């Protein structure tokens, strides 16, 4: 049996270990927020946003941000049907209704035309999820937001390192959220970040993030309202400080791996991968192969082949509207079609060229077998 190729692993060096050790040894009492404050400062500087709040998860950051915007019972929030459950759960927890719209066939991100079509008097927010590092059409979405007065939010959980015309993913909307789960390009094990350049929104989320205790409150242990507890630990933030120092290196390696796959798979007809349009940079969090329906290659065929080759491969997100907890079944053609013929490819930082070769060869073998099968069937029918 060959060595298993995992779909993702973090890149942890001596720097992360040293910072985490220091936080564990000295980060208590008066110094219990030292690495948190530093991580927030360094992250907002990298992003180009004015404010940042480190959180326990991207989901928590989204929950507080939506709550700060006043999203609640009877409201509607528009988001792409292609999403992980983490993007929609805060909407449901706040009592609002998620409105699932289709995605574009090339970027797999939310379709601005469909957003426009689904706006109603109840629409309270629009969430733009930059899926797998691919960028939403933020220019179109922000124009819609400006015209209608509806805030556009960026779910940039998977898009650190992605840039649109000089603006980093997560820095363009009313607020942005990031994930630092162990699978992400920048990791703190678990964790997230809320970012914004809106001072009033920042203060509102800051209060909510601290059990509802306002920053100016002079009474000790006196909450001004019911808030949340979505804080990041100082030790997690210490790892984050090391990772943000290495962010250019981490993103560059992700981009190298995506480019390597594109070269190796370029001979495969009917394949598309993470796009990078003029004026943009794709952070390439998760290289993804989408096969044209005409190839006849299915998700299950690819899963079986990768498992036989001792390779991890993630499935493309199922449409949220296909989940049993939601009753609406909108006709979102792309969101329902793409997952059945797509696969996420391994892309951890210390993958070798031989590893990339093995992954690509497995996918090419699937295609060759399918093409051979189709040719034989055509000859038989003749």
């Amino acid at each position: 049996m060959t060595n298993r190729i995992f779909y993702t692993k973090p890149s942890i060096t001596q720097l992360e270990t040293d910072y985490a050790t220091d936080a564990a040894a000295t980060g208590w009492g008066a110094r219990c927020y030292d690495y948190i404050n530093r991580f927030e400062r360094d992250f907002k500087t990298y992003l180009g946003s004015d404010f940042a709040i480190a959180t326990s998860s991207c989901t928590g950051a989204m929950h507080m941000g939506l709550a700060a915007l006043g999203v609640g019972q009877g409201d509607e929030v528009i988001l792409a049907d292609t999403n992980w459950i983490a993007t929609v759960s805060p909407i449901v927890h706040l009592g609002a209704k998620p409105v699932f719209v289709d995605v574009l066939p090339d970027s797999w991100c939310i379709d601005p035309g469909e957003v426009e079509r689904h706006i109603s008097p109840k629409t309270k927010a629009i969430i733009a999820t930059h899926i797998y590092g691919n960028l939403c059409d933020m220019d179109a979405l922000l124009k819609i937001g400006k015209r209608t007065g509806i805030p556009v939010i960026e779910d940039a959980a998977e898009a650190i390192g992605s840039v649109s015309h000089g603006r980093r993913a997560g820095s363009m909307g009313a607020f942005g959220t990031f994930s630092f789960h162990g699978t992400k390009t920048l990791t703190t094990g678990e964790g997230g970040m809320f970012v914004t350049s809106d001072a009033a929104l920042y203060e509102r989320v800051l209060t909510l993030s601290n059990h509802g205790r306002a920053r100016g409150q002079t009474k000790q242990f006196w909450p001004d309202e019911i808030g949340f507890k979505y804080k990041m630990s100082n030790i997690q933030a210490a790892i984050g400080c090391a990772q943000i120092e290495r962010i250019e290196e981490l993103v560059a390696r992700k981009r190298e791996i995506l480019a390597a796959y594109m070269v190796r798979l370029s001979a495969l007809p009917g394949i598309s991968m993470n796009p990078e349009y003029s004026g943009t940079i794709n952070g390439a969090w998760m290289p993804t192969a989408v096969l044209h329906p005409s190839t006849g290659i299915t998700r299950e065929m690819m899963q079986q082949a990768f498992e036989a080759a001792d390779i991890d491969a993630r499935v493309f997100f199922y449409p949220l509207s296909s989940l049993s907890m939601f009753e609406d079944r909108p006709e979102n053609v792309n969101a329902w079609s793409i997952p059945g013929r797509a696969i996420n490819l391994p892309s951890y930082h210390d993958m070798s060229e031989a590893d990339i070769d093995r992954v690509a060869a497995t996918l090419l073998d699937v295609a060759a077998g399918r093409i051979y099968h189709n040719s034989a069937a055509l000859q038989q029918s003749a």
Side-chain angles (χ1 to χ4, degrees), residues 122-302:
K122 295 181 179 180
T123 304
K124 191 78 171 184
I126 298 162
I127 299 178
T129 301
H130 303 298
I131 203 81
Y132 303 138
N134 303 348
L135 286 156
C136 296
D137 185 346
M138 289 304 296
D139 287 341
L141 293 170
L142 290 171
K143 283 179 183 176
I144 293 170
K146 185 175 182 180
R147 190 178 68 253
T148 61
I150 300 169
V152 177
I153 297 156
E154 290 179 86
D155 177 355
E158 303 173 355
I160 193 163
S162 296
V163 182
S164 176
H165 303 282
R167 302 168 298 174
R168 295 194 181 278
S171 69
M172 296 174 270
F175 69 82
T177 61
F178 288 84
S179 170
F180 307 133
H181 183 265
T183 61
K184 297 301 190 291
T185 302
L186 185 160
T187 187
T188 58
E190 285 283 1
M193 191 75 77
F194 170 92
V195 297
T196 187
S197 290
D198 182 326
L201 185 61
Y202 166 71
E203 289 294 337
R204 184 84 188 95
V205 174
L206 191 65
T207 296
L208 289 174
S209 73
N210 191 25
H211 291 297
R213 292 181 288 183
R215 182 158 54 165
Q217 179 55 255
T218 56
K219 284 186 180 180
Q220 192 175 28
F221 289 107
W222 184 268
D224 297 278
E225 60 183 304
I226 297 294
F228 298 95
K229 180 61 185 279
Y230 287 138
K231 289 186 178 182
M232 177 180 283
S233 75
N234 200 47
I235 295 174
Q236 286 176 300
I239 297 172
C241 287
Q243 292 264 291
I244 199 70
E245 285 184 31
R246 299 177 55 223
I247 189 61
E248 298 296 351
E249 164 203 342
L250 295 173
V251 172
R253 181 57 185 148
K254 282 285 192 176
R255 287 175 51 74
E256 285 174 2
I257 294 169
L258 173 59
Y261 279 130
M262 286 181 165
V263 170
R264 287 161 174 77
L265 296 172
S266 60
L268 178 55
I271 187 173
S272 58
M273 296 192 70
N274 311 57
E276 185 171 88
Y277 302 113
S278 176
T280 71
I281 297 171
N282 193 314
W285 172 61
M286 187 65 69
T288 301
V290 177
L291 282 301
H292 193 272
S294 63
T295 64
I297 298 171
T298 66
R299 169 183 57 217
E300 288 71 25
M301 291 167 62
M302 291 186 279

Side-chain angles (χ1 to χ4, degrees), residues 34 254 284 299 318 321 326:
D34 282 5
K254 282 285 192 176
R299 169 183 57 217
Y318 297 97
S321 62
F326 300 112

Side-chain angles (χ1 to χ4, degrees), residues 374-382:
N374 286 346
S375 299
L378 284 170
Q379 287 173 1
Q380 254 186 346
S381 64

